[in-house]
């Protein structure tokens, strides 16, 4: 996969450092709900940009600090839509100084591995 095929800010060099293949997602069709573990009553809606078995890159209208623990509900596009539940730790902010939504990355600490692995396997089959 080339850098041109990935969303803004994703390059081949970063792909090569990863332990698992990160798959780009069609962000407008990839709904994400995030709740801070410290404040589970407040929910943030956003979009995911890419995903692997170990984590994902996403955006919210509000920046979450690096180190924040979050609970996630992700609706992955396709037929049928795949719902994945999990939790993780924010490990990076990509464009926190820009006006508008902030892109961040999270490493999963827990994830519905069966659903996510099935989704990623279908992406791998479709890319052949």
């Amino acid at each position: 996969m080339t850098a041109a095929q990935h969303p803004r800010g994703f390059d081949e060099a970063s792909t090569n450092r990863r332990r698992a293949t990160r798959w780009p997602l069609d962000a407008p069709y990839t709904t994400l709900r995030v709740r801070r573990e410290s404040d589970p009553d407040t929910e943030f809606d956003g979009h995911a940009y890419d995903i692997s078995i170990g984590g994902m890159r996403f955006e919210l209208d509000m920046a979450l600090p690096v180190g924040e623990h979050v609970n996630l509900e992700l609706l992955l596009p396709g037929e049928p839509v795949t719902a994945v539940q999990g939790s993780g730790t924010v490990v990076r902010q990509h464009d926190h100084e820009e006006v508008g939504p902030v892109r961040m990355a999270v490493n999963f600490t827990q994830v519905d591995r069966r659903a996510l692995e099935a989704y990623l396997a279908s992406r791998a089959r479709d890319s052949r």
Side-chain angles (χ1 to χ4, degrees):
M1 204 169 285
T2 67
Q5 293 173 310
H6 292 289
R8 176 178 67 109
F10 194 91
D11 61 28
E12 201 67 32
S14 67
T15 304
N16 293 333
R17 289 192 315 251
R18 300 193 188 287
R19 285 180 262 175
T21 301
R22 188 158 288 216
W23 293 93
L25 297 168
D26 195 359
Y29 301 104
T30 308
T31 303
L32 173 67
R33 291 184 187 93
V34 178
R35 289 186 176 97
R36 293 173 155 176
E37 285 186 3
S38 63
D39 181 14
D41 294 330
T42 303
E43 182 176 278
F44 304 97
D45 293 324
H47 302 282
Y49 282 85
D50 54 59
I51 193 165
S52 75
I53 198 66
M56 71 176 172
R57 190 166 56 106
F58 65 100
E59 83 173 13
L60 299 174
D61 288 335
M62 178 188 152
L64 298 175
V66 171
E68 179 87 39
H69 297 281
V70 294
N71 294 310
L72 311 161
E73 179 182 1
L74 180 64
L75 300 177
L76 296 165
E79 290 296 326
V81 170
T82 301
V84 176
Q85 305 272 332
S87 60
T89 303
V90 176
V91 294
R92 183 171 30 270
Q93 290 181 0
H94 292 283
D95 48 5
H96 63 280
E97 294 185 13
E98 299 289 324
V99 174
V102 179
R103 291 188 189 182
M104 295 163 269
V106 65
N107 282 346
F108 297 134
T109 53
Q110 181 180 6
V111 70
D112 181 349
R113 197 167 179 91
R114 192 173 81 196
L116 185 52
E117 284 177 340
Y119 179 81
L120 295 175
S122 73
R123 293 293 305 262
R125 280 191 304 274
D126 292 347
S127 69
R128 292 181 195 163

